[in-house]
Amino acid sequence: MLKTVDSTKSDSLLYLSAADVERAIGEDHAIFVEALEAALRAQAAGDVVQPLKPYLRRPERPHPTDRIIAMPAYVGGDVRLSGMKWIGSAHDNQRTRGLPRASAVIVLNDADSAYPLALMDGSVVSAWRTAAVSALACRFLAPAGRRLAVLGTGLLARTHLSLLRASWGRPDGVDVYDIAPGHGEAFARWAEEKHDLTVTVHDDPAACLRDADVVLAVTTAPESWIPAEWVPRGSLFLNISLADPMPDVVLTSDKIVVDCYEQVMRPGKLLHSMAEQGTFGPNRCHADLSDLVTGSRPGRETPEETIFFNPVGQAIGDIACAAAVYRRALGQGVGIHLER
């Protein structure tokens, strides 16, 4: 039953659709970077709780992106909320069902009473949170040059380019490659209309990377396919995908940074597989992202460093970003109040 109530009352549960989330955000996507930074500072202070996330998979659907993930967390500090993101993905959604690959819902709970406060579409929050992680990584790890190579041109490529354009600076150039015919050209038209950027579309991925200062991999490829010889020396490789870079990309990097070592070291992940083979371990990991945010570890120290950044996605980031959206929506009167 729907009911309009005072948002401060304990019987109020705020529901936010995807359109509501977009309405609350407007064009102020910087709130995601600020929220993520707050979560990372809380993490560095030991003021978060983040269980390892379980994956729900079906054996007859072996593609690595075919799963539902539960991502619970408590974030203290300036956020001070608990919650969970429940995010599903199917690699063939767009082709066979006409749906986006991923979908999500997020529930936020009061930290003390544990009562639910909000239920919201999580796909928008998730996409911008992912881009915010890369934006923070670029702040500390990117070289002086700003030529960006993008592998894959889906939703994450668009949120990344938009947030990097706002927080990292206008790229000197953008090169893209996508295996699907016409997708690169559609992305180029969008980038020109939305951000007044000229994008060069390549049919050769090696050529796409040739002059890159920052490489952004956002594909759904099930197997590694990018060799180290394609990655320019002195660049930053943002490994947002599951399986794009080959192990030699990691092995030839001067620094390896992750969002959270414990979360990254899960079966099926690139760095975990390398650890099982004895080619990667904690001694090869330069820092967690929270170490860079707090200054306890340095970021880029020389122009010549080739740096590999591998986030896996932290629930604390989703909860902090959802909390920012929730509070913005309350202030603007956006959403529907549900009776418990």
Side-chain angles (χ1 to χ4, degrees):
M1 177 180 178
L2 302 184
K3 186 173 79 169
T4 301
V5 296
D6 182 346
S7 62
T8 64
K9 291 178 65 177
S10 62
D11 61 351
S12 171
L13 176 67
L14 183 66
Y15 170 72
L16 299 172
S17 68
D20 291 331
V21 172
E22 294 277 18
R23 192 176 303 115
I25 297 166
E27 292 298 319
D28 184 17
H29 299 118
I31 67 168
F32 293 106
V33 179
E34 296 164 4
L36 178 65
E37 189 167 358
L40 291 170
R41 291 189 182 279
Q43 184 175 38
D47 197 11
V48 303
V49 179
Q50 182 173 231
L52 289 177
K53 50 194 177 186
Y55 286 67
L56 177 63
R57 297 186 184 277
R58 288 162 49 199
E60 69 272 23
R61 293 186 63 84
H63 193 282
T65 62
D66 289 353
R67 71 286 189 276
I68 307 177
I69 312 173
M71 299 177 64
Y74 161 74
V75 184
D78 295 334
V79 179
R80 208 169 186 285
L81 284 176
S82 298
M84 186 179 77
K85 180 174 76 171
W86 179 245
I87 180 166
S89 170
H91 78 283
D92 57 349
N93 264 351
Q94 188 169 21
R95 185 180 74 255
T96 64
R97 302 174 188 89
L99 298 171
R101 177 185 63 82
S103 60
V105 292
I106 296 174
V107 59
L108 293 176
N109 296 72
D110 180 79
D112 296 321
S113 71
Y115 264 65
L117 300 174
L119 176 67
M120 69 180 73
D121 176 90
S123 56
V124 176
V125 173
S126 189
W128 286 106
R129 186 271 295 159
T130 303
V133 172
S134 296
L136 271 182
C138 282
R139 181 192 300 178
F140 298 104
L141 302 173
R146 279 179 163 77
R147 190 166 190 94
L148 177 66
V150 182
L151 302 168
T153 57
L155 173 63
L156 288 181
R158 297 192 180 204
T159 55
H160 271 78
L161 185 59
S162 296
L163 203 49
L164 291 177
R165 173 74 177 82
S167 62
W168 179 47
R170 183 184 180 88
D172 298 333
V174 180
D175 299 275
V176 302
Y177 168 80
D178 196 300
I179 193 172
H183 284 206
E185 288 77 10
F187 181 83
R189 290 192 295 271
W190 168 83
E192 182 175 5
E193 294 171 3
K194 179 73 174 179
H195 298 295
D196 191 28
L197 293 172
T198 300
V199 174
T200 303
V201 181
H202 296 264
D203 57 12
D204 176 7
C208 179
L209 270 59
R210 185 170 296 132
D211 299 317
D213 298 300
V214 174
V215 177
L216 172 65
V218 281
T219 83
T220 56
E223 297 178 349
S224 300
W225 59 282
I226 302 172
E229 64 188 62
W230 291 1
V231 181
R233 299 302 301 171
S235 65
L236 168 63
F237 193 108
L238 299 172
N239 183 37
I240 311 305
S241 304
L242 295 176
D244 287 327
M246 293 180 175
D248 62 353
V249 175
V250 180
L251 296 174
T252 56
S253 295
D254 300 301
K255 280 180 179 169
I256 301 159
V257 179
V258 299
D259 56 352
C260 176
Y261 186 85
E262 180 187 30
Q263 295 284 332
V264 167
M265 297 304 289
R266 301 294 301 278
K269 306 297 183 184
L270 172 63
L271 297 183
H272 180 269
S273 298
M274 293 179 65
E276 287 189 318
Q277 297 165 6
T279 58
F280 182 76
N283 61 316
R284 285 283 286 124
C285 185
H286 171 70
D288 284 3
L289 188 55
S290 60
D291 298 324
L292 305 186
V293 168
T294 60
S296 63
R297 295 287 288 166
R300 176 175 290 273
E301 296 177 276
T302 70
E304 296 79 19
E305 285 181 313
T306 302
I307 301 178
F308 182 81
F309 178 63
N310 194 140
V312 71
Q314 294 199 83
I316 60 168
D318 291 300
I319 299 310
C321 289
V325 172
Y326 166 64
R327 287 163 177 154
R328 178 75 64 88
L330 282 180
Q332 296 177 351
V334 173
I336 298 172
H337 295 285
L338 308 178
E339 182 180 23
R340 288 201 182 96

